[in-house]
Amino acid sequence: SLLDVNSYSRRRRYSVESIKEKLEEILENTPLLTYGNTTANLKITGNDFKAKIIADSFKIIIENLVINSISDSLLTFRLDKDLGKLFVFDNGIGIDKSVKNHLFEAFVTNKPDNDGRGMGLYIVTTLLNEFGATITLD
């Protein structure tokens, strides 16, 4: 139902938000910064900017990125006001070459022992597309 274009997404409301403020709010209030015995280390850098987003979708996007990065790594959010972009980096184990070209497709996971459903980055991609944003792996 999260991605059902005939129901849930049509009720979403766009708003112009400070990306840094929204990011800080999400990260402060999410229980997802700890996963099992692992805790995410976070850093926000760069210059804030405003963007037209769907706030509920942005929250889901950030939480899925956090979940996909947790492994005792440092997760860095870098805001680039000039480009109007949010870059997300982590210093984790990296992406296995076997999934690199399919990472944003449904049911693809890079987690050890297939720990995960492989839907997180697919959901991120789909939700970003709703408000004209994209995600790429660098």
Side-chain angles (χ1 to χ4, degrees), residues 19 23 49 58 62 65 77-80 84-88:
I19 297 301
L23 187 58
F49 62 93
F58 189 70
I62 297 303
L65 292 174
F77 296 90
R78 184 172 59 85
L79 298 132
D80 188 318
K85 291 185 177 185
L86 172 62
F87 295 91
V88 183

Side-chain angles (χ1 to χ4, degrees), residues 24-101:
E24 289 172 338
E25 175 188 320
I26 293 165
L27 295 173
E28 181 179 312
N29 294 313
T30 184
L32 300 175
L33 295 179
T34 56
Y35 182 77
N37 295 327
T38 307
T39 302
N41 299 299
L42 305 170
K43 182 165 88 172
I44 300 173
T45 65
N47 297 311
D48 192 17
F49 62 93
K50 292 188 176 193
K52 184 177 178 181
I53 63 170
I54 302 167
D56 291 340
S57 293
F58 189 70
K59 179 179 186 287
I60 294 166
I61 290 163
I62 297 303
E63 288 180 338
N64 272 290
L65 292 174
V66 166
I67 290 168
N68 277 277
S69 295
I70 287 183
S71 64
D72 288 328
S73 63
L74 174 63
L75 182 59
T76 302
F77 296 90
R78 184 172 59 85
L79 298 132
D80 188 318
K81 181 179 181 176
D82 295 333
L83 295 175
K85 291 185 177 185
L86 172 62
F87 295 91
V88 183
F89 304 94
D90 72 35
N91 63 350
I93 61 172
I95 304 298
D96 188 277
K97 290 179 184 179
S98 67
V99 298
K100 186 170 110 175
N101 295 327

